[in-house]
Amino acid sequence: MKDHSRLYQMTFASIYPLYIQKAERKGRSAAEVDQIIFWLTGYDAGGLKEHIDRGSDLEHFFLNAPNWNPLSDKITGVICGYRVEDIADPIVQKVRYLDKLIDELAKGKAMEKILRSL
């Protein structure tokens, strides 16, 4: 079993700007990144800002998500060499779900598809 303690200790504030940069390099917006985060986690702008300002680590950011989206199980595919649907550790899986959605945004996918709209 792989040790994910380093990933758990990373702050959300340290990876959030990387998500924004990745999206903007591909002509997408910070607002779209936020929309994805809100959809997946149930955070609103205030909750997101609070975790960024507080320096919450990824473990606490995802454990405290107010309304985890039940459609997240529709997120499939490979990220960092692993199939997201097969990741056993629930926190790592949630981190990779978000990574996958940001990748889809950067690849130009429509928001309706990214947000798994029915």
Side-chain angles (χ1 to χ4, degrees), residues 17-31 33 105-106:
L18 301 176
Y19 289 146
I20 301 292
Q21 289 171 7
K22 184 174 192 168
E24 289 178 342
R25 275 195 314 265
K26 299 295 184 165
R28 302 305 287 258
S29 69
V33 171
L105 179 69

Side-chain angles (χ1 to χ4, degrees), residues 53-102:
D53 291 347
R54 192 179 333 146
S56 296
D57 59 41
L58 290 176
E59 180 178 19
H60 288 96
F61 179 80
F62 286 104
L63 279 177
N64 293 311
N67 188 22
W68 189 257
N69 195 306
L71 293 178
S72 64
D73 66 348
K74 304 282 187 225
I75 303 167
T76 60
V78 177
I79 190 80
C80 299
Y82 297 95
R83 294 207 65 78
V84 293
E85 61 270 27
D86 295 338
I87 297 172
D89 184 298
I91 298 298
V92 174
Q93 186 178 49
K94 289 176 179 183
V95 172
R96 296 304 179 208
Y97 278 157
L98 182 54
D99 291 345
K100 180 70 176 161
L101 296 178
I102 300 300

